[in-house]
Amino acid sequence: MSEDRREYLPHSTRCFICGDENECGVRTRFYVEDGAVRTRVVLSRHLNGYKDVAHGGVLAALMDESMGWAATVFGRKHPMYVTGELTVKYLAPVSVGEEIEIVSRLENDAGRVAYSTGEILCGGTVRVRARGKFLPMSEEATRQVIPYLKFDLCRKYGTLFGRSGPDR
């Protein structure tokens, strides 16, 4: 799918992963394609753990964010979710300065908990795998988060939380 046809998800200004104004963060945008939440990003050198290798905590945060969005987008009622449990398996180092792809899917929405999986790929090779349990936020807690989200570039998902449209 071409970039101009991607179905982008909301983001925020200060989030470490998706915050477009967070100079210390990753600054990526997630989108939905082929039944998965995805992004492609080149991690900056300031995100390394040691020479030219991405910090494992940054990789876990990417998994956390993308799998949480998978639960939100593909779950039964589209409430926002918080992470209840996150298991990350590091299969091979992930280099900074190279493009990586993050792909996450909802495996099951059991109502009180949603189960998501995700992978980080580099050059088509899986470098990181993760599984997580995500708990739905209450309607009140979700309402408190929505004002902090930005919906630019959101077409389909501009109404994800019952909003009137992408321009709000």
Side-chain angles (χ1 to χ4, degrees):
M1 180 180 289
S2 69
E3 189 168 331
D4 62 326
R5 296 182 43 87
R6 288 180 177 161
E7 293 293 344
Y8 282 95
L9 294 171
H11 64 108
S12 70
T13 57
R14 302 302 302 160
C15 174
F16 178 73
I17 298 297
C18 69
D20 57 356
E21 296 176 20
N22 187 336
E23 295 175 15
C24 297
V26 177
R27 301 171 87 175
T28 192
R29 290 290 308 268
F30 291 96
Y31 56 92
V32 175
E33 184 178 87
D34 298 328
V37 171
R38 300 172 180 268
T39 193
R40 290 180 176 271
V41 66
V42 176
L43 297 176
S44 300
R45 298 217 183 281
H46 75 277
L47 300 172
N48 70 331
Y50 59 91
K51 188 176 183 339
D52 299 328
V53 175
H55 192 285
V58 172
L59 301 175
L62 282 161
M63 293 283 77
D64 177 40
E65 184 83 3
S66 64
M67 292 189 310
W69 275 115
T72 296
V73 169
F74 300 112
R76 292 183 189 171
K77 293 185 178 180
H78 298 300
M80 293 199 76
Y81 287 75
V82 294
T83 307
E85 182 177 305
L86 181 66
T87 302
V88 182
K89 293 186 179 184
Y90 301 94
L91 307 174
V94 174
S95 297
V96 295
E98 294 181 31
E99 183 179 73
I100 58 173
E101 180 180 20
I102 293 92
V103 180
S104 293
R105 291 183 168 79
L106 174 67
E107 296 295 322
N108 181 33
D109 183 348
R112 295 171 63 135
V113 63
Y115 300 87
S116 295
T117 59
E119 297 178 331
I120 297 177
L121 301 96
C122 185
T125 301
V126 177
R127 303 285 177 95
V128 177
R129 277 201 177 99
R131 300 185 66 76
K133 296 178 184 177
F134 295 85
L135 309 173
M137 292 172 62
S138 68
E139 288 183 29
E140 176 59 28
T142 299
R143 276 194 299 275
Q144 291 176 6
V145 171
I146 291 171
Y148 295 97
L149 296 177
K150 294 172 70 175
F151 291 83
D152 57 312
L153 301 179
C154 295
R155 292 185 309 262
K156 180 177 180 180
Y157 298 107
T159 59
L160 186 61
F161 303 108
R163 297 170 62 257
S164 60
D167 296 326
R168 198 164 188 198

